[in-house]
Amino acid sequence: MEKKNYVVAVDLGSTAVVVGVAAKAEDGTMAIQALVSKPVQGVVAGRIENIEDVSTALGKAFEEAGAEAGIRITSAYAGISGDFVRCARHTDYVFVNDPKNGVSKQDLAGLFDRMRNLQAPDDETIMERIPQNYMIDQNQEVQNPIGSFGSKLSSTFNFVLCQRTPLQRLEMALKRVGVELLGVIPSAMATAEAVLSADEKEEGVAVVDIGGGVTDVTVYYRNIVRYVASIPMGASAINHDIRTMGVPERFVESLKQKYGSAVSERVSEEKLIRVTGRTARESRDILLRNLSTVIEARTMDIIDLVNEELKISGYAGKLGYGIVLTGGSANLKDIDELFRLGTKLEVRIAKPDMGLTEESCAKVDDPTYATVVGLLMRGSTQSQVVLPQQPQRLVVTEQSARKMEPQPAPQPKPTPQPAPAPQPKPEEKSTQQIEQKPYVPPVVPISETEQEEDDEDIYEDEPKEKKGGFWGWVKKITEGFEAPGDEEI
């Protein structure tokens, strides 16, 4: 990058690729310098299937965005979503070294070390580690455990995992156009950053981003990401159904957006629209009610899948602010009303407007750009640590400073309690230094297999014993992941 304060992000979707360039304004907000969208082929449900088609679209988008911003783009952050991205939960605990003086920073650091040492399956990588809350002696939930009295500190972390192959293909596509991949961010989490207010994150809300081939769902509660999921169905499924009505592919999207409605009852039963064919003879009239019926049916399928994900998350009944709809398909007429009917929750349609200058809000005045704006926001935070074409540096925060403090001499073991969990030996703890930031998990560069997360808050039952598995040298100190719905990894 020619200027260190520039941040570049790319949102590679199933139907379009969007490249954004931004810089920090004097007041700390983001100023959008360039925003380019190009159609793309070769991406199916978020997964790159044709590297040549994708590289061609990326090259055009980067070239145009660079020219618009007046820079040469050599590095970027990217988002990723698809059914290869999933959540899993893991609970672990440590015994407090000095119960009389309460939980110390060293105790909390030891708990984080155990979570960092967990290994994903060989074909997956951990993108985010998100603590949900803290428990003292399994019966007292606390927001900040330091100073709390008890003999046992436990926590449940929410892990966001992604298969390695889609990540590798994304990096390969960017390398083909001469762009270094600085970091990969789950698109679902990035989108939420661009559209949610502080109150929505606190009181409970689900962000539903309906893209071309994927619908992302992110659940926030008490200012913490509780659940992330990608549904392999989006606007392309709706368009496919419209084509079965004899509508040429080149007219489908414009016909849907201009005349379609997600609630068929709101459309006249007699109104017709003429669709042009290859010749004048092949032109045909279509009832708008029939068009809307097709749209409504497929959209209800998406809503049913969203409802299922909300149930799996365990927060379906805690969403005080309901659902926030975004993505290109949020522009579909009456789609918010259909979601309101299908989910029994309050629904609003959101455009990216968080942390942007007033001029930039006008540039991105469309739900389509929510993900790329969120990626720019996450990238701008990370770019304070990782500058383009420079090695990663450690940022000393309250929690990372723990590791830099002299460690006390080993304490004698307390009187054994019933079935205590074995504690990790000092030499077993990871020596890798990883950046930490409160409440916002760091962006995970693709070249790394592990990242640290120091968001706060979590809980679940006492970990169950895991027999066998793939955990490597940490088998003795870890238990099995437990995904929502008892899914294991």
Side-chain angles (χ1 to χ4, degrees):
M1 299 293 300
E2 296 180 359
K3 294 184 179 181
K4 295 180 180 179
N5 62 324
Y6 280 98
V7 179
V8 180
V10 54
D11 173 25
L12 179 60
S14 299
T15 58
V17 55
V18 182
V19 173
V21 181
K24 277 290 185 70
E26 294 182 358
D27 60 357
T29 57
M30 294 290 296
I32 304 296
Q33 307 295 313
L35 194 66
V36 175
S37 178
K38 294 291 183 182
V40 66
Q41 295 181 346
V43 181
V44 179
R47 190 189 301 267
I48 297 177
E49 299 293 350
N50 189 310
I51 193 71
E52 290 294 336
D53 290 342
V54 172
S55 298
T56 299
L58 285 172
K60 293 178 180 179
F62 279 123
E63 182 179 0
E64 188 172 327
E68 184 177 335
I71 62 174
R72 183 173 63 90
I73 298 175
T74 59
S75 57
Y77 293 90
I80 192 167
S81 66
D83 60 356
F84 44 82
V85 177
R86 67 186 182 96
C87 278
R89 293 175 184 168
H90 177 72
T91 301
D92 210 337
Y93 61 91
V94 295
F95 287 111
V96 179
N97 288 325
D98 187 2
K100 293 183 179 180
N101 290 321
V103 177
S104 66
K105 293 182 179 180
Q106 287 73 25
D107 296 324
L108 186 60
L111 182 60
F112 272 82
D113 282 340
R114 292 173 69 90
M115 293 297 184
R116 284 197 306 274
N117 289 336
L118 287 172
Q119 301 294 321
D122 292 338
D123 62 338
E124 291 183 308
T125 185
I126 299 174
M127 301 184 71
E128 306 281 355
R129 294 172 171 84
I130 310 169
Q132 305 293 287
N133 66 9
Y134 298 97
M135 296 293 292
I136 302 297
D137 292 337
Q138 291 188 316
N139 57 14
Q140 180 186 356
E141 182 177 338
V142 297
Q143 185 174 6
N144 182 7
I146 297 177
S148 300
F149 290 101
S151 60
K152 182 178 178 181
L153 171 65
S154 63
S155 179
T156 299
F157 273 51
N158 193 12
F159 290 75
V160 181
L161 302 102
C162 181
Q163 292 179 8
R164 294 182 183 275
T165 299
L167 289 172
Q168 293 167 350
R169 291 180 181 178
L170 177 60
E171 183 179 30
M172 185 187 308
L174 291 175
K175 283 184 177 180
R176 281 176 171 245
V177 296
V179 175
E180 176 190 1
L181 182 58
L182 292 178
V184 183
I185 307 164
S187 295
M189 297 179 63
T191 303
E193 292 296 325
V195 299
L196 292 184
S197 67
D199 287 343
E200 287 173 328
K201 292 180 179 179
E202 177 67 22
E203 298 300 327
V205 69
V207 180
V208 178
D209 179 7
I210 307 177
V214 173
T215 297
D216 289 328
V217 180
T218 308
V219 176
Y220 261 91
Y221 184 72
R222 294 290 180 256
N223 206 36
I224 297 171
V225 177
R226 303 293 183 173
Y227 187 69
V228 175
S230 289
I231 300 168
M233 181 185 294
S236 296
I238 301 175
N239 291 358
H240 179 271
D241 289 351
I242 295 175
R243 286 183 61 193
T244 62
M245 301 176 66
V247 180
E249 184 176 1
R250 66 183 184 276
F251 297 133
V252 168
E253 185 64 26
S254 60
L255 180 68
K256 180 183 69 175
Q257 294 293 344
K258 189 174 182 179
Y259 299 104
S261 171
V263 181
S264 59
E265 291 183 356
R266 295 190 173 186
V267 178
S268 170
E269 296 181 359
E270 299 178 354
K271 191 171 182 179
L272 296 169
I273 182 69
R274 174 154 292 186
V275 178
T276 304
R278 291 176 298 178
T279 65
R281 289 184 178 181
E282 294 182 1
S283 297
R284 56 181 302 179
D285 294 333
I286 295 177
L287 276 172
L288 289 187
R289 170 63 73 91
N290 292 343
L291 173 64
S292 294
T293 298
V294 169
I295 295 173
E296 179 180 0
R298 184 59 68 182
T299 306
M300 277 303 304
D301 289 342
I302 296 175
I303 293 174
D304 289 342
L305 293 172
V306 170
N307 280 331
E308 184 64 25
E309 294 297 343
L310 295 181
K311 290 178 182 178
I312 294 173
S313 74
Y315 289 87
K318 300 179 181 180
L319 304 179
Y321 277 85
I323 290 176
V324 172
L325 274 180
T326 191
S329 293
N331 290 317
L332 183 60
K333 184 180 178 182
D334 297 326
I335 192 171
D336 54 339
E337 180 63 23
L338 187 62
F339 262 84
R340 192 174 293 112
L341 295 171
T343 63
K344 310 302 181 184
L345 296 170
E346 289 299 315
V347 179
R348 78 172 179 94
I349 295 176
K351 302 173 183 178
D353 56 4
M354 298 297 167
L356 297 176
T357 62
E358 185 175 348
E359 181 180 344
S360 295
C361 286
K363 288 184 179 179
V364 296
D365 188 29
D366 191 314
T368 304
Y369 301 125
T371 299
V372 73
V373 171
L375 294 171
L376 288 170
M377 294 173 65
R378 291 284 299 270
S380 68
T381 303
Q382 184 70 2
S383 64
Q384 297 173 10
V385 182
V386 185
L387 297 177
Q389 300 181 351
Q390 292 187 8
Q392 186 171 359
R393 298 174 294 179
L394 177 67
V395 172
V396 179
T397 62
E398 179 182 352
Q399 294 192 5
S400 63
R402 304 186 199 117
K403 299 180 182 179
M404 304 178 67
E405 298 175 354
Q407 298 297 312
Q411 300 284 338
K413 292 185 177 180
T415 303
Q417 300 187 17
Q423 297 296 303
K425 298 179 181 179
E427 62 271 19
E428 291 179 331
K429 295 185 178 180
S430 171
T431 58
Q432 182 182 7
Q433 292 181 338
I434 305 176
E435 177 202 3
Q436 301 188 9
K437 293 188 287 293
Y439 292 105
V440 181
V443 178
V444 182
I446 194 169
S447 59
E448 299 179 7
T449 58
E450 293 194 13
Q451 278 284 4
E452 178 179 349
E453 172 55 42
D454 60 2
D455 291 29
E456 302 178 343
D457 301 17
I458 168 132
Y459 130 66
E460 198 168 327
D461 296 335
E462 183 169 344
K464 299 178 181 179
E465 184 177 356
K466 179 81 173 179
K467 297 183 179 180
F470 39 74
W471 302 103
W473 60 272
V474 293
K475 291 178 182 177
K476 296 181 179 180
I477 64 170
T478 61
E479 290 76 21
F481 278 98
E482 292 186 4
D486 296 326
E487 177 186 2
E488 295 190 358
I489 63 169

Short mmCIF file of all heavy atoms in Angstrom, two decimals, residues 393-423:
data_model
loop_
_atom_site.label_atom_id
_atom_site.label_comp_id
_atom_site.label_asym_id
_atom_site.label_seq_id
_atom_site.Cartn_x
_atom_site.Cartn_y
_atom_site.Cartn_z
N ARG A 393 3.12 -6.93 14.72
CA ARG A 393 3.73 -6.49 15.96
C ARG A 393 2.77 -6.71 17.11
O ARG A 393 1.57 -6.62 16.94
CB ARG A 393 4.10 -5.00 15.88
CG ARG A 393 5.12 -4.71 14.78
CD ARG A 393 5.34 -3.23 14.64
NE ARG A 393 4.13 -2.58 14.16
CZ ARG A 393 4.03 -1.27 13.97
NH1 ARG A 393 5.03 -0.49 14.23
NH2 ARG A 393 2.89 -0.75 13.53
N LEU A 394 3.35 -6.93 18.27
CA LEU A 394 2.53 -7.18 19.45
C LEU A 394 2.03 -5.87 20.01
O LEU A 394 2.79 -4.92 20.20
CB LEU A 394 3.35 -7.92 20.50
CG LEU A 394 2.63 -8.18 21.83
CD1 LEU A 394 1.49 -9.16 21.61
CD2 LEU A 394 3.60 -8.70 22.86
N VAL A 395 0.73 -5.79 20.27
CA VAL A 395 0.15 -4.64 20.94
C VAL A 395 -0.04 -5.00 22.41
O VAL A 395 -0.69 -5.98 22.74
CB VAL A 395 -1.21 -4.27 20.32
CG1 VAL A 395 -1.88 -3.19 21.15
CG2 VAL A 395 -1.00 -3.77 18.90
N VAL A 396 0.52 -4.19 23.29
CA VAL A 396 0.44 -4.48 24.71
C VAL A 396 -0.87 -3.92 25.24
O VAL A 396 -1.05 -2.72 25.32
CB VAL A 396 1.63 -3.87 25.47
CG1 VAL A 396 1.51 -4.18 26.96
CG2 VAL A 396 2.93 -4.40 24.91
N THR A 397 -1.79 -4.81 25.56
CA THR A 397 -3.06 -4.43 26.17
C THR A 397 -3.08 -4.97 27.58
O THR A 397 -2.14 -5.60 28.04
CB THR A 397 -4.24 -4.99 25.37
OG1 THR A 397 -4.15 -6.41 25.40
CG2 THR A 397 -4.20 -4.51 23.93
N GLU A 398 -4.19 -4.74 28.26
CA GLU A 398 -4.27 -5.17 29.66
C GLU A 398 -4.04 -6.66 29.80
O GLU A 398 -3.34 -7.11 30.68
CB GLU A 398 -5.65 -4.81 30.22
CG GLU A 398 -5.81 -5.25 31.67
CD GLU A 398 -7.18 -4.92 32.21
OE1 GLU A 398 -7.94 -4.23 31.50
OE2 GLU A 398 -7.48 -5.36 33.32
N GLN A 399 -4.61 -7.44 28.86
CA GLN A 399 -4.48 -8.89 28.99
C GLN A 399 -3.16 -9.39 28.43
O GLN A 399 -2.56 -10.31 28.96
CB GLN A 399 -5.66 -9.58 28.31
CG GLN A 399 -6.96 -9.29 29.02
CD GLN A 399 -8.06 -10.20 28.54
OE1 GLN A 399 -7.83 -11.09 27.75
NE2 GLN A 399 -9.25 -9.98 29.03
N SER A 400 -2.69 -8.78 27.30
CA SER A 400 -1.42 -9.26 26.75
C SER A 400 -0.28 -8.89 27.69
O SER A 400 0.76 -9.53 27.69
CB SER A 400 -1.19 -8.67 25.36
OG SER A 400 -1.08 -7.27 25.42
N ALA A 401 -0.46 -7.82 28.49
CA ALA A 401 0.58 -7.42 29.42
C ALA A 401 0.79 -8.45 30.51
O ALA A 401 1.85 -8.54 31.10
CB ALA A 401 0.23 -6.08 30.05
N ARG A 402 -0.24 -9.27 30.75
CA ARG A 402 -0.09 -10.31 31.77
C ARG A 402 1.10 -11.21 31.47
O ARG A 402 1.85 -11.62 32.35
CB ARG A 402 -1.35 -11.17 31.83
CG ARG A 402 -2.61 -10.44 32.09
CD ARG A 402 -3.71 -11.47 32.27
NE ARG A 402 -4.99 -10.85 32.06
CZ ARG A 402 -5.82 -11.17 31.11
NH1 ARG A 402 -5.49 -12.11 30.25
NH2 ARG A 402 -6.98 -10.58 30.99
N LYS A 403 1.25 -11.51 30.19
CA LYS A 403 2.28 -12.47 29.81
C LYS A 403 3.68 -11.86 29.96
O LYS A 403 4.66 -12.56 30.01
CB LYS A 403 2.08 -12.90 28.37
CG LYS A 403 0.75 -13.57 28.15
CD LYS A 403 0.63 -13.97 26.71
CE LYS A 403 -0.72 -14.59 26.46
NZ LYS A 403 -0.89 -14.98 25.08
N MET A 404 3.75 -10.51 29.97
CA MET A 404 5.04 -9.85 30.02
C MET A 404 5.46 -9.61 31.47
O MET A 404 6.57 -9.16 31.72
CB MET A 404 4.97 -8.54 29.25
CG MET A 404 4.51 -8.72 27.81
SD MET A 404 4.35 -7.19 26.90
CE MET A 404 6.08 -6.72 26.82
N GLU A 405 4.56 -9.84 32.43
CA GLU A 405 4.89 -9.65 33.83
C GLU A 405 5.68 -10.87 34.33
O GLU A 405 5.46 -11.99 33.89
CB GLU A 405 3.62 -9.50 34.66
CG GLU A 405 2.80 -8.28 34.27
CD GLU A 405 1.50 -8.26 35.03
OE1 GLU A 405 1.22 -9.24 35.74
OE2 GLU A 405 0.77 -7.25 34.91
N PRO A 406 6.59 -10.65 35.28
CA PRO A 406 7.30 -11.80 35.87
C PRO A 406 6.30 -12.75 36.50
O PRO A 406 5.37 -12.34 37.19
CB PRO A 406 8.21 -11.14 36.92
CG PRO A 406 8.32 -9.70 36.52
CD PRO A 406 7.03 -9.37 35.84
N GLN A 407 6.44 -14.01 36.25
CA GLN A 407 5.54 -15.02 36.76
C GLN A 407 5.99 -15.49 38.14
O GLN A 407 7.19 -15.70 38.37
CB GLN A 407 5.46 -16.23 35.81
CG GLN A 407 4.93 -15.87 34.45
CD GLN A 407 3.50 -15.38 34.56
OE1 GLN A 407 2.67 -16.00 35.22
NE2 GLN A 407 3.22 -14.26 33.91
N PRO A 408 5.10 -15.64 39.09
CA PRO A 408 5.49 -16.09 40.44
C PRO A 408 5.97 -17.53 40.43
O PRO A 408 5.67 -18.30 39.51
CB PRO A 408 4.17 -15.96 41.23
CG PRO A 408 3.10 -16.09 40.19
CD PRO A 408 3.67 -15.46 38.94
N ALA A 409 6.73 -17.84 41.46
CA ALA A 409 7.20 -19.21 41.58
C ALA A 409 6.01 -20.15 41.74
O ALA A 409 4.97 -19.77 42.27
CB ALA A 409 8.12 -19.34 42.80
N PRO A 410 6.15 -21.39 41.26
CA PRO A 410 5.02 -22.34 41.34
C PRO A 410 4.54 -22.50 42.78
O PRO A 410 5.33 -22.66 43.70
CB PRO A 410 5.61 -23.63 40.78
CG PRO A 410 6.76 -23.19 39.93
CD PRO A 410 7.31 -21.97 40.60
N GLN A 411 3.22 -22.47 42.96
CA GLN A 411 2.63 -22.64 44.28
C GLN A 411 2.47 -24.14 44.58
O GLN A 411 2.20 -24.94 43.68
CB GLN A 411 1.25 -21.97 44.32
CG GLN A 411 1.30 -20.47 44.05
CD GLN A 411 1.81 -19.70 45.25
OE1 GLN A 411 1.74 -20.22 46.37
NE2 GLN A 411 2.35 -18.51 45.03
N PRO A 412 2.61 -24.51 45.83
CA PRO A 412 2.32 -25.92 46.18
C PRO A 412 0.87 -26.23 45.91
O PRO A 412 -0.01 -25.39 46.07
CB PRO A 412 2.65 -25.99 47.68
CG PRO A 412 2.58 -24.57 48.15
CD PRO A 412 3.02 -23.72 47.00
N LYS A 413 0.60 -27.43 45.47
CA LYS A 413 -0.76 -27.82 45.12
C LYS A 413 -1.66 -27.82 46.35
O LYS A 413 -1.27 -28.27 47.42
CB LYS A 413 -0.77 -29.22 44.49
CG LYS A 413 -0.10 -29.26 43.14
CD LYS A 413 -0.25 -30.63 42.51
CE LYS A 413 0.36 -30.67 41.13
NZ LYS A 413 0.21 -31.99 40.50
N PRO A 414 -2.87 -27.29 46.22
CA PRO A 414 -3.80 -27.30 47.35
C PRO A 414 -4.31 -28.72 47.62
O PRO A 414 -4.09 -29.64 46.84
CB PRO A 414 -4.95 -26.39 46.86
CG PRO A 414 -4.90 -26.52 45.38
CD PRO A 414 -3.44 -26.68 45.05
N THR A 415 -5.00 -28.83 48.74
CA THR A 415 -5.56 -30.14 49.07
C THR A 415 -6.46 -30.61 47.95
O THR A 415 -7.32 -29.86 47.50
CB THR A 415 -6.39 -30.04 50.37
OG1 THR A 415 -5.54 -29.52 51.40
CG2 THR A 415 -6.93 -31.41 50.75
N PRO A 416 -6.24 -31.82 47.43
CA PRO A 416 -7.03 -32.28 46.27
C PRO A 416 -8.52 -32.21 46.55
O PRO A 416 -8.98 -32.54 47.63
CB PRO A 416 -6.56 -33.74 46.09
CG PRO A 416 -5.22 -33.78 46.74
CD PRO A 416 -5.28 -32.83 47.89
N GLN A 417 -9.26 -31.76 45.54
CA GLN A 417 -10.71 -31.73 45.60
C GLN A 417 -11.24 -32.91 44.78
O GLN A 417 -10.51 -33.50 44.00
CB GLN A 417 -11.25 -30.42 45.05
CG GLN A 417 -10.72 -29.22 45.85
CD GLN A 417 -11.40 -27.94 45.40
OE1 GLN A 417 -12.43 -28.00 44.76
NE2 GLN A 417 -10.82 -26.80 45.74
N PRO A 418 -12.51 -33.21 44.94
CA PRO A 418 -13.06 -34.37 44.20
C PRO A 418 -12.87 -34.20 42.70
O PRO A 418 -13.28 -33.18 42.13
CB PRO A 418 -14.56 -34.33 44.58
CG PRO A 418 -14.59 -33.62 45.88
CD PRO A 418 -13.48 -32.63 45.85
N ALA A 419 -12.27 -35.18 42.08
CA ALA A 419 -12.08 -35.25 40.63
C ALA A 419 -11.57 -33.94 40.04
O ALA A 419 -12.19 -33.35 39.19
CB ALA A 419 -13.39 -35.63 39.94
N PRO A 420 -10.40 -33.42 40.51
CA PRO A 420 -9.90 -32.17 39.94
C PRO A 420 -9.38 -32.40 38.53
O PRO A 420 -8.86 -33.45 38.20
CB PRO A 420 -8.76 -31.79 40.90
CG PRO A 420 -8.28 -33.10 41.43
CD PRO A 420 -9.49 -33.99 41.51
N ALA A 421 -9.51 -31.39 37.69
CA ALA A 421 -8.98 -31.49 36.33
C ALA A 421 -7.48 -31.22 36.37
O ALA A 421 -7.03 -30.32 37.09
CB ALA A 421 -9.66 -30.48 35.42
N PRO A 422 -6.67 -31.98 35.65
CA PRO A 422 -5.21 -31.76 35.64
C PRO A 422 -4.89 -30.39 35.09
O PRO A 422 -5.51 -29.94 34.13
CB PRO A 422 -4.70 -32.88 34.71
CG PRO A 422 -5.87 -33.23 33.87
CD PRO A 422 -7.06 -33.04 34.74
N GLN A 423 -3.96 -29.70 35.74
CA GLN A 423 -3.57 -28.37 35.31
C GLN A 423 -2.41 -28.46 34.31
O GLN A 423 -1.56 -29.35 34.40
CB GLN A 423 -3.13 -27.51 36.51
CG GLN A 423 -4.23 -27.29 37.52
CD GLN A 423 -5.35 -26.49 36.88
OE1 GLN A 423 -5.13 -25.41 36.38
NE2 GLN A 423 -6.54 -27.05 36.86
#
